[in-house]
């Protein structure tokens, strides 16, 4: 057990529980900061995310707070694309021997994720709606989600970021799902993408299992504590601050 890494996982889990900002948006820049090569940072983060998302997805499935049709449509395009992104990262690592492409990709997706999160926070679409208003929304046709899922899956496979940050605003604006169902659908889709991409990264050897295990050990109590603290700490200012930090981290990597 590496106590500093466990505490880092706990801090990331705490911030995720408090703000809902994706763990990859917080963890991947940290791993790069401490000197982990970009492909290994991505692969390790994907394994970490797979286990943490599994816990959350099971809870939402038990509560029937998942939109199965939306998950299937997103995953149909997302799973093969996420695996392809992992393969692409592995090929870049072995053939080129440098991680500049992955670092720049991470920076770009961090910027996009931060902007989408800020959109969620301040968009009128995020304001509470009555049942009538929710039902009157014109839903996006599910077939359009397949290419969207593929694009997001490719980004996840290359950078480990975007599964949650980019999907939730789409569901918020163009689905009739309730807020809790949006979260459950988002987490379930992220689980499938992280697992598919994480498997290909494992095949190419871009996973530090010791690091991932220490992060997972810390994140579980961190997430639980963060969820409890949301009863006492306002979410909107925290999400705004965290998105600002993610945005700065993204620009620093581009």
């Amino acid at each position: 057990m590496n106590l500093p890494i466990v505490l880092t996982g706990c801090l990331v889990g705490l911030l995720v529980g408090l703000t809902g900002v994706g763990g990859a948006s917080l963890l991947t820049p940290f791993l790069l900061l401490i000197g982990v090569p970009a492909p290994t940072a991505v692969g390790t983060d994907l394994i970490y995310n797979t286990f943490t998302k599994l816990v959350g997805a099971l809870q939402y499935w038990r509560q029937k707070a998942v939109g199965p049709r939306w998950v299937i449509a997103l995953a149909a395009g997302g799973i093969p694309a996420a695996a392809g992104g992992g393969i692409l990262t592995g090929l870049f690592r072995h053939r080129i021997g440098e991680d500049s492409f992955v670092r720049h990709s991470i920076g770009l997706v961090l910027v996009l994720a931060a902007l989408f999160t800020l959109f969620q926070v301040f968009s009128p679409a995020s304001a509470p709606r009555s049942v009538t208003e929710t039902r009157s929304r014109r839903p996006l046709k599910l077939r359009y989600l397949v290419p969207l899922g593929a694009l997001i899956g490719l980004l996840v496979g290359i950078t480990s970021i975007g599964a949650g940050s980019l999907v939730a605003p789409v569901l918020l604006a163009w689905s009739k799902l309730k807020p809790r169902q949006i979260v459950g659908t988002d987490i379930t889709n992220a689980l499938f993408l992280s697992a598919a991409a994480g498997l290909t990264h494992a095949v190419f050897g871009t996973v530090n299992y010791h690091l991932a295990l220490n992060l997972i050990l810390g994140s579980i109590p961190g997430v639980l504590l963060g969820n409890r603290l949301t009863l006492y700490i306002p979410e909107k200012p925290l999400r705004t601050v965290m998105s600002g930090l993610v945005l700065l981290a993204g620009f620093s990597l581009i």
Side-chain angles (χ1 to χ4, degrees):
M1 181 180 292
N2 187 321
L3 185 58
I5 299 299
V6 172
L7 292 176
T8 298
C10 185
L11 177 60
V12 171
L14 176 66
L15 293 173
V16 170
L18 278 171
T19 66
V21 175
S25 299
L26 304 172
L27 182 59
T28 306
F30 169 79
L31 295 179
L32 294 175
L33 181 65
I34 64 175
V36 178
T40 304
V42 171
T44 303
D45 189 44
L46 286 166
I47 298 300
Y48 164 85
N49 272 323
T50 298
F51 282 93
T52 54
K53 299 293 185 187
L54 177 61
V55 175
L58 288 175
Q59 289 179 335
Y60 282 98
W61 271 104
R62 290 194 190 104
Q63 297 165 5
K64 298 182 179 180
V66 176
R69 293 190 304 151
W70 293 83
V71 171
I72 292 171
L74 287 165
I79 290 176
I87 293 171
L88 180 62
T89 303
L91 292 176
F92 266 85
R93 173 178 178 259
H94 289 290
R95 292 187 179 184
I96 297 177
E98 62 181 29
D99 59 8
S100 59
F101 169 77
V102 179
R103 290 179 70 91
H104 291 319
S105 299
I106 290 171
L108 177 61
V109 180
L110 281 174
V111 170
L112 291 175
L115 293 176
F116 271 73
T117 301
L118 289 171
F119 169 79
Q120 274 186 279
V121 172
F122 294 104
S123 172
S126 63
R129 282 184 166 89
S130 65
V131 175
T132 303
E133 287 176 318
T134 301
R135 289 177 178 173
S136 66
R137 270 190 260 177
R138 186 176 181 180
L140 186 69
K141 292 182 179 180
L142 293 178
R143 66 173 179 269
Y144 296 140
L145 291 178
V146 177
L148 175 63
L151 174 61
I152 294 172
L154 181 63
L155 294 176
V156 170
I158 295 173
T159 70
S160 78
I161 302 163
S165 305
L166 304 181
V167 170
V170 173
L171 298 178
L172 182 67
W174 287 298
S175 79
K176 293 185 178 182
L177 298 173
K178 298 176 182 178
R180 189 162 184 79
Q181 291 175 314
I182 290 176
V183 176
T185 302
D186 192 8
I187 289 177
T188 304
N189 177 64
L191 166 64
F192 291 136
L193 299 190
S194 297
L199 180 61
T200 57
H201 275 267
V203 170
F204 279 95
T206 53
V207 176
N208 184 326
Y209 295 100
H210 178 265
L211 183 58
L213 178 59
N214 278 274
L215 290 168
I216 291 169
L217 288 175
S219 70
I220 295 173
V223 170
L224 295 175
L225 178 59
N227 286 336
R228 289 195 176 258
L229 290 178
T230 54
L231 299 173
Y232 310 101
I233 301 176
E235 177 187 358
K236 188 172 181 177
L238 278 172
R239 284 172 66 88
T240 303
V241 171
M242 292 308 306
S243 298
L245 293 176
V246 170
L247 191 63
L248 290 174
F251 280 125
S252 71
L253 293 171
I254 294 177

